[in-house]
Amino acid sequence: MQSELRTQTKLEKIRQRMKQENIHAFMILSSDFHESEYVGDYFKCREYISGFTGSAGNLVILEDKAGLWTDGRYFLQAEKELEGSGIILFRKGEDDVPELEEYLEQNLLEHMSVGVDGRTISVNAYRKLKKALEKKKITIRLECDLAGDVWNDRPKMSCMPAWELDICYAGNTRAEKIDQIRTKLVEEGAECTVISSLDDIAWALNVRGNDIACTPLVLSYLVVSKQHTVWFVQKQAVSWQLAERLKEDGIIIRNYEDIYSYLKEMDTEVLYLDPNRTNMLLYECTQKKVQAGMRKVLEGKNITLLMKAVKNKIEIENMKKAHEKDAAACIKFMYWLKTQVRKNIEKDAANISSLSKDLHIMDDDDCEGKERKLLTEITAAEKLEEFRKEQEHYLGPSFHTIVGYARHGAIVHYSATPKTDLAFQAENLVLIDSGGHYMEGTTDITRTIALGALTQEQKHAYTLVLKGNLNLAAAKFKYGACGISLDCLARKALWQEGMDYKHGTGHGVGYLLSVHEPPNCFRSVLSESGEESVKLEPGMVTSNEPGIYIEGKFGIRLENLILCKELEKNSYGRFLGFETLTLVPFEREAILAEELETWERDWLNNYHKEIVAKIGSMLNEKELAWLKEITAAI
């Protein structure tokens, strides 16, 4: 109740500022100044005002109502977090749900105004909004940071130390990468490019940082021209040693905020930028010379996009090593979890008998006395992190670990809190989605684990999801195929029974960068970005993660990372396929073997055999014995 009142108070403060500025609708977007998926605390204005903590969601505040738009990953979470706030939840993609721009056009009168912080809206998002509102001559004002105005204790912008990624991990020097960018600029007919996306900048300069939780990036901008490479960064984040090495490679360092004046003043005649990854205030800085006929702006995907997505040989070999380490940590955890559940049931019988047979949500009083005795979603996540920390060169999680027990598994991007933390019992399923950053690369894995006897419904659902994972993993396809061409392989078994999941089947994964890296992906429908239509190239790493979510009961997701590789070339053309990088067994107790085709059983048995061969030496005697038992041929 208190959080609901706080949200309503914050909305009223925004409305007071709107009235002062003569703004009739105010938008608070989830992005930072770089169109990042995940953002630092300084940029979490939407979360601060609305109380919704998901990574994707845009808030619109009108004089008498407010709405929040988010996607299928967050429907259940948003419904709970927005309850009582007065904010209406709009489920993107659902029937009869208006798009944000359509909603504004319907609810505003002619000549009214919409405010938004122009540093947080991309060029293309602005154009879409403008097109929807221009028929009513509605003005869009970009100079507004009303959320920042009312956020009195707003955290400072992060300025963590930047560090250099050695060539033994990066595979190519930054000088080689800058040369690649310049070659591509010539091909595009441009003289200069401005790059705002943090992962592209980190890749190009072989630098990493810690300005965003779970994503080792540095807040900065990069401008690459035929003559100069200029890095706009908070100078206190760059040590003098790193600055000297950058200088030796021809990298000029300027203050983070200087990017705006630099774009206004530079003499470049033909500038290239990505309208999906460049914010509107940056774009406006390029336009004065455009309007004067002194500059031309070319638009397209970031110059670095495909260069970064296609991993080089050293990156690929390193990522395989990272996945072996990660597999050892995950298998150790799974063994511990299965053992601990049995121990806790006996050890804490008195405590657990006080719980109802139905699932129990511990309140604060419960947690205080039983937090260390009962195995819960939070304590399980902490233990998994302990096992990862034991691995050499482990740097930290690649995203916040998702542990959803029983009905919480049906919340796609669930995040446990002390108020919602479920205690495990020797029954049902727990969905665990986690990943790590290692010097050798980034991992992302989801396993759904049985904690006790399962129902036929649960086993059947698990087997359908497993069939989807195997069918995509085993795909062989002609070069030129893209994510939307192959997504149906992962959904086929579910679709045949009239079932589906409301998220993409897979996303690209960066090398010690963002765990969600465009453009490669698997999706069943076309999106505005068009990334699902990008050709799959050898060297791309993509997740393979079908799922099924039964609200109020359980959720199942099975995720491996797969490497696209060349299989053969013949008179019919080039054929590609995938190599599975993740080396963690599936839940044998949840598989209905009779529902698998012969080739599926063979694939699964060979996969489990490979896991024992590659990971067995990294386990202790008991863990290895258990691994051999659960990977026995089906």
Side-chain angles (χ1 to χ4, degrees), residues 14-23 63 146:
I14 293 287
R15 290 184 173 117
Q16 290 172 13
R17 289 289 294 119
M18 288 167 58
K19 189 173 183 180
Q20 292 168 359
E21 298 291 337
N22 195 29
I23 292 172
E63 295 171 333
L146 305 190

Side-chain angles (χ1 to χ4, degrees), residues 24 109-113 136-139:
H24 304 94
L109 302 175
E110 287 192 358
H111 303 292
M112 282 187 167
S113 64
K136 284 189 172 181
K137 300 180 176 59
I138 295 170
T139 304

Side-chain angles (χ1 to χ4, degrees), residues 238-359:
V238 184
S239 68
W240 69 266
Q241 296 97 330
L242 176 56
E244 284 299 310
R245 289 193 292 273
L246 289 164
K247 184 178 179 181
E248 290 172 4
D249 288 326
I251 313 297
I252 301 166
I253 297 178
R254 291 190 54 171
N255 286 320
Y256 179 71
E257 298 82 4
D258 289 350
I259 181 67
Y260 296 95
S261 59
Y262 185 88
L263 290 182
K264 290 177 182 177
E265 298 163 3
M266 68 179 183
D267 295 328
T268 301
E269 293 182 6
V270 186
L271 176 65
Y272 183 99
L273 55 79
D274 185 340
N276 283 313
R277 305 299 298 271
T278 305
N279 75 55
M280 264 307 295
L281 284 192
L282 277 183
Y283 182 79
E284 286 197 330
C285 291
T286 71
Q287 292 302 292
K288 187 175 181 180
K289 288 194 174 184
V290 170
Q291 293 161 3
M294 301 167 63
R295 179 183 294 162
K296 180 180 179 182
V297 174
L298 302 179
E299 298 181 4
K301 297 293 185 182
N302 267 333
I303 292 283
T304 50
L305 192 70
L306 284 177
M307 301 176 194
K308 172 168 54 69
V310 177
K311 277 51 179 182
N312 60 49
K313 290 182 179 180
I314 290 177
E315 288 176 321
I316 290 170
E317 289 307 309
N318 281 333
M319 288 191 82
K320 290 179 180 180
K321 294 176 184 176
H323 279 83
E324 289 178 4
K325 295 178 182 181
D326 207 59
C330 290
I331 292 169
K332 286 174 176 287
F333 167 76
M334 290 167 66
Y335 171 76
W336 173 87
L337 176 63
K338 296 271 192 176
T339 304
Q340 196 67 23
V341 167
R342 290 195 297 269
K343 285 182 178 179
N344 277 4
I345 293 306
E346 298 170 2
K347 179 180 177 182
D348 297 311
N351 286 334
I352 292 177
S353 65
S354 68
L355 308 176
S356 65
K357 188 176 181 182
D358 294 331
L359 298 174

Side-chain angles (χ1 to χ4, degrees), residues 252-530:
I252 301 166
I253 297 178
R254 291 190 54 171
N255 286 320
Y256 179 71
E257 298 82 4
D258 289 350
I259 181 67
Y260 296 95
S261 59
Y262 185 88
L263 290 182
K264 290 177 182 177
E265 298 163 3
M266 68 179 183
D267 295 328
T268 301
E269 293 182 6
V270 186
L271 176 65
Y272 183 99
L273 55 79
D274 185 340
N276 283 313
R277 305 299 298 271
T278 305
N279 75 55
M280 264 307 295
L281 284 192
L282 277 183
Y283 182 79
E284 286 197 330
C285 291
T286 71
Q287 292 302 292
K288 187 175 181 180
K289 288 194 174 184
V290 170
Q291 293 161 3
M294 301 167 63
R295 179 183 294 162
K296 180 180 179 182
V297 174
L298 302 179
E299 298 181 4
K301 297 293 185 182
N302 267 333
I303 292 283
T304 50
L305 192 70
L306 284 177
M307 301 176 194
K308 172 168 54 69
V310 177
K311 277 51 179 182
N312 60 49
K313 290 182 179 180
I314 290 177
E315 288 176 321
I316 290 170
E317 289 307 309
N318 281 333
M319 288 191 82
K320 290 179 180 180
K321 294 176 184 176
H323 279 83
E324 289 178 4
K325 295 178 182 181
D326 207 59
C330 290
I331 292 169
K332 286 174 176 287
F333 167 76
M334 290 167 66
Y335 171 76
W336 173 87
L337 176 63
K338 296 271 192 176
T339 304
Q340 196 67 23
V341 167
R342 290 195 297 269
K343 285 182 178 179
N344 277 4
I345 293 306
E346 298 170 2
K347 179 180 177 182
D348 297 311
N351 286 334
I352 292 177
S353 65
S354 68
L355 308 176
S356 65
K357 188 176 181 182
D358 294 331
L359 298 174
H360 175 71
I361 300 177
M362 295 195 297
D363 59 27
D364 288 340
D365 292 335
D366 291 327
C367 290
E368 185 176 354
K370 302 172 184 175
E371 184 177 24
R372 292 304 169 192
K373 295 180 181 179
L374 294 182
L375 179 58
T376 72
E377 293 166 330
I378 290 176
T379 58
E382 292 171 346
K383 190 65 179 181
L384 176 54
E385 180 66 7
E386 288 180 23
F387 282 114
R388 279 201 169 100
K389 285 179 178 179
E390 293 175 0
Q391 301 301 315
E392 184 183 23
H393 294 163
Y394 178 66
L395 300 176
S398 55
F399 57 95
H400 295 295
T401 297
I402 297 168
V403 180
Y405 175 57
R407 66 170 177 268
H408 284 171
I411 304 174
V412 180
H413 272 207
Y414 169 72
S415 179
T417 69
K419 285 288 187 181
T420 67
D421 191 21
L422 283 177
F424 293 176
Q425 299 183 54
E427 61 183 24
N428 219 312
L429 296 162
V430 58
L431 185 156
I432 303 177
D433 189 349
S434 67
H437 289 302
Y438 299 80
M439 292 299 295
E440 292 82 5
T442 297
T443 69
D444 183 2
I445 172 177
T446 307
R447 286 295 182 268
T448 305
I449 301 169
L451 298 186
L454 300 179
T455 66
Q456 194 71 8
E457 177 192 23
Q458 290 169 327
K459 291 181 180 180
H460 179 57
Y462 187 101
T463 306
L464 291 176
V465 174
L466 175 63
K467 288 168 73 72
N469 184 286
L470 301 188
N471 273 269
L472 181 55
K476 183 176 182 178
F477 52 95
K478 279 282 298 292
Y479 177 75
C482 49
I484 202 166
S485 309
L486 303 180
D487 183 275
C488 60
L489 296 175
R491 298 179 193 263
K492 180 183 176 183
L494 289 166
W495 281 356
Q496 286 179 328
E497 302 207 12
M499 304 168 77
D500 197 15
Y501 46 93
K502 296 179 180 179
H503 58 74
T505 297
H507 54 81
V509 176
Y511 183 97
L512 192 47
L513 291 169
S514 175
V515 75
H516 295 157
E517 179 181 271
N520 44 303
C521 64
F522 301 114
R523 295 191 191 122
S524 61
V525 295
L526 289 170
S527 65
E528 291 180 10
S529 70

Side-chain angles (χ1 to χ4, degrees), residues 468-586:
N469 184 286
L470 301 188
N471 273 269
L472 181 55
K476 183 176 182 178
F477 52 95
K478 279 282 298 292
Y479 177 75
C482 49
I484 202 166
S485 309
L486 303 180
D487 183 275
C488 60
L489 296 175
R491 298 179 193 263
K492 180 183 176 183
L494 289 166
W495 281 356
Q496 286 179 328
E497 302 207 12
M499 304 168 77
D500 197 15
Y501 46 93
K502 296 179 180 179
H503 58 74
T505 297
H507 54 81
V509 176
Y511 183 97
L512 192 47
L513 291 169
S514 175
V515 75
H516 295 157
E517 179 181 271
N520 44 303
C521 64
F522 301 114
R523 295 191 191 122
S524 61
V525 295
L526 289 170
S527 65
E528 291 180 10
S529 70
E531 288 167 353
E532 56 283 327
S533 299
V534 172
K535 287 190 298 185
L536 293 167
E537 300 279 355
M540 287 180 168
V541 175
T542 316
S543 70
N544 170 10
E545 49 182 311
I548 192 67
Y549 309 94
I550 311 301
E551 185 175 352
K553 298 173 75 174
F554 61 87
I556 297 166
R557 186 162 63 250
L558 301 175
E559 177 186 17
N560 285 342
L561 297 193
I562 52 179
L563 169 69
C564 184
K565 65 178 186 177
E566 197 101 27
L567 292 183
E568 68 172 295
K569 186 176 182 180
N570 57 34
S571 59
Y572 294 99
R574 294 171 62 194
F575 286 85
L576 308 181
F578 299 113
E579 176 182 349
T580 297
L581 299 179
T582 307
L583 294 167
V584 177
F586 292 108

